Amino acid sequence: MSKELDLLVDMLVKSKNTVIVTGAGISTEAGIPDFRGENGVYRKLGENRVMGIINIDFFRQNPHDFYSFYRQYFMFPAVEPGKAHYMLAEMETKGYAKAIVTQNIDNLHQKAGSKQVIPVHGNCERFICTARHCQKSYDSSYVKDSPEIIPYCSSCGGILKPDVVLFGEQIYNYIDARERILEARLLIVIGSSLTVYPLAGFVKEFSTFTQDMVIINKGRTQLDHAAVLKIDSGNTGDFLEQIVQRL
Ligand code: NAD
């Protein structure tokens, strides 16, 4: 591992524009399970079933069943950022990371102090009123405390929707996320199986033009073959700490 550490530190020092891409795997050490891992919801329930429910059409047609499911499986426990989140925030402060493009909806990068965060799937701590004239925003405690399964807007009575990208919806920050990734000189992907599009597509596009892609992930990803360095680790927080200590 020390050879890999040396190589990555060297690449970070030389790179003028390092962008980090993160997925669910960066938050498992903080206590939020990923979807495809051993305890993940896809493994337990099957990906097709989940996709059929966490879906904008299903939400509109059957908000009661949507929320029964969403409350059980998608309202994450209140956790603090893990070491990995703090290390990435420190890398930004020290000038070694320009931005984080994340698929995560847990807001943990922002909580850890990262400033340049581009979330493409939204923020699960926020809920928005779906009434077009209203669109009032609520935090998740309002929804957790709501006595009914479907949470309603206290101003207009509209149904609230989690401010996350459901299947069938456009991702947020499409242009910004793609540009940041394609402009990077060094791209470091952490904790993503790289199976979720379009973000995985931006990474693929980057890897066809540029060589400097590093993947830190427990288990294989769809783009391992395109990485100059693949680190297969489940102790991402400790690994990033060692990097930061050498920068
Ligand atoms: P994924 O579940 O497809 O892949 C996560 C990867 O991280 C897996 O390959 C897993 O082996 C790896 N991993 C797990 N623990 C790790 C660790 N400690 N260090 C390094 N790697 C680790 O996740 P994805 O590609 O991000 O896509 C899943 C989708 O699920 C995204 O759309 C995302 O929005 C959503 N999601 C988000 C959260 C969150 O916000 N924390 C959690 C679950 C799912």
Side-chain angles (χ1 to χ4, degrees):
M1 191 66 92
S2 85
K3 228 169 138 189
E4 292 165 332
L5 258 171
D6 290 344
L7 183 56
L8 184 47
V9 169
D10 189 49
M11 289 169 94
L12 275 161
V13 169
K14 285 182 181 148
S15 163
K16 297 258 183 303
N17 183 2
T18 298
V19 172
I20 318 281
V21 169
T22 64
I26 197 157
S27 296
T28 54
E29 289 168 77
I32 300 179
D34 56 14
F35 284 174
R36 290 182 177 79
E38 275 164 35
N39 302 314
V41 68
Y42 286 163
R43 286 273 183 100
K44 277 194 229 159
L45 305 174
E47 198 163 340
N48 285 343
R49 182 171 168 218
V50 177
M51 282 170 71
I53 298 174
I54 303 304
N55 183 299
I56 187 63
D57 293 331
F58 191 80
F59 169 79
R60 289 193 183 122
Q61 284 156 15
N62 196 341
H64 183 277
D65 287 1
F66 171 90
Y67 266 110
S68 303
F69 188 85
Y70 191 86
R71 283 179 183 279
Q72 190 175 354
Y73 296 107
F74 283 75
M75 302 277 283
F76 298 142
V79 298
E80 292 302 311
K83 199 190 276 179
H85 298 99
Y86 287 115
M87 291 305 120
L88 291 186
E90 204 169 325
M91 278 168 66
E92 182 185 331
T93 308
K94 288 181 164 181
Y96 291 102
K98 282 271 191 289
I100 299 174
V101 179
T102 188
Q103 294 202 139
N104 292 347
I105 53 178
D106 56 27
N107 211 30
L108 291 180
H109 287 304
Q110 294 89 333
K111 275 192 191 157
S114 288
K115 301 276 182 280
Q116 294 297 318
V117 183
I118 302 163
V120 295
H121 288 169
N123 179 350
C124 68
E125 290 190 355
R126 207 165 38 220
F127 288 75
I128 309 282
C129 176
T130 51
R132 215 174 280 266
H133 58 276
C134 178
Q135 298 188 343
K136 189 172 167 183
S137 164
Y138 292 83
D139 67 28
S140 58
S141 61
Y142 176 85
V143 172
K144 281 177 187 155
D145 294 345
S146 135
E148 293 173 84
I149 299 244
I150 301 176
Y152 293 100
C153 177
S154 62
S155 299
C156 76
I159 293 176
L160 304 188
K161 178 189 170 291
D163 192 18
V164 300
V165 175
L166 303 177
F167 289 104
E169 289 189 296
Q170 294 278 351
I171 65 162
Y172 295 163
N173 302 313
Y174 184 104
I175 292 172
D176 200 14
R178 181 171 176 271
E179 275 178 4
R180 288 297 189 120
I181 288 173
L182 293 185
E183 283 167 13
R185 302 304 294 267
L186 170 62
L187 193 70
I188 306 180
V189 180
I190 309 176
S192 173
S193 58
L194 292 172
T195 45
V196 180
Y197 278 71
L199 189 63
F202 303 158
V203 175
K204 196 172 180 183
E205 211 176 336
F206 171 88
S207 73
T208 57
F209 293 115
T210 322
Q211 277 292 299
D212 289 343
M213 179 166 77
V214 174
I215 297 178
I216 304 171
N217 195 66
K218 187 169 140 194
R220 61 179 291 276
T221 80
Q222 294 299 314
L223 291 174
D224 285 353
H225 60 277
V228 272
L229 179 62
K230 162 76 195 289
I231 290 147
D232 204 319
S233 165
N235 297 320
T236 301
D238 290 341
F239 182 75
L240 292 180
E241 186 177 38
Q242 291 182 62
I243 299 278
V244 169
Q245 282 167 353
R246 292 186 191 204
L247 288 171

